[in-house]
Amino acid sequence: MKITVTKIVQAVDPTKKKVDELYEVAQRSAQLRNELWNQYGSISGLLTLNYPRAVRDEWVKNGKGYSTHLQARTWKTAMEDAFVSIKSLWSNAKAKVRERLFKKNGLTEKEKHYGFYLLKNNDLLHKVLSAVLFDLPEVFQGQKIDREKVHKWLSSMLRKDKGNKPRQKRSRTFTLDQNMYDLKEDEKGRLWLGIMGLVPRRRIHLRLSSSRRFSGNTRIVLKGKLVEFHYTEEEDCPEPKEGQKV
C-alpha cells in the first residue's frame, strides 16, 4: 500500500540577496492571490469554477499578467493556487449544505431533489444566489416545487457555510511547478536547486541539506533566514497485521 507523505528539505547558508529575492517573489505572489480571492472569492467566483483557466487566458490576452511584475510561469502558478483555494471553499460549503438538505424538514423529496440539482450546477446556483430569475429545468417540469422556498434556504445556508473570502496576511510562501526549478549535483556530490526568480533566464541557486532528488510541485516556505522546500512523494506503507488497529 502506498501513502503520500510531505518531506521538507532546507537551503544551506543562503545569502541575504537570495533570501530577499525569494521574499519579494512571495510578496508579489501573495498580492496576486489576495487580488484574485477578493475578486472571485464571493458569488461571482462560481462562474469561474467550471473553467478557471479562462481567467488566466484573458490575462495573457490583455497583458494584465505583466502588472504582477512576476515571470509568466510564476504568476500563472500563483493564480492556479488561488483558484484551488476558491474551489475548495465552495466544495466544503456545498458538502455541508448537502448534508443539511438531506436531513431538512419542511421540504418535500422533490424539493430536495431540486436543491441537490442546483448544488451541482454552478451556473444555476449563481443565479439563485444573485436572485436572478431562470426557467425551471426541464427535468422538473410539471412537478410541484416551491422554488422560492428552496432558493431562499440554499442562499442562507451557503452564505453561512462558505464564510469570508480567504486572505493571505503573511507573504512567506509560494509554489514552484516542475518547470520552475532544476536540480544539479556538484563535484562534491552536493545537490543544488535552481529556482526561477524575478529576472528572466536567471535562476536563484541554493545548496540543499539533502542529496535526495524530488520532482513535481514544491512549496517554498520562508522563516526569517531559513528557506524550506516542501514536497510530497509516495512511500510504501506496511500492511497491518491481523488484529492490529490502524
Side-chain angles (χ1 to χ4, degrees), residues 8 10 19 23 170 172-173 220-228 230:
I8 300 175
Q10 297 177 349
V19 174
Y23 267 104
R170 302 178 65 183
R172 64 182 188 92
T173 182
I220 292 183
V221 178
L222 305 170
K223 301 177 180 179
K225 297 179 180 179
L226 184 65
V227 181
E228 293 182 347
H230 297 212

Side-chain angles (χ1 to χ4, degrees), residues 176-191:
L176 302 172
D177 71 21
Q178 180 71 62
N179 295 307
M180 293 169 67
Y181 67 89
D182 59 69
L183 291 165
K184 293 182 179 178
E185 194 174 283
D186 63 17
E187 66 280 359
K188 296 182 180 180
R190 300 175 301 185
L191 194 62

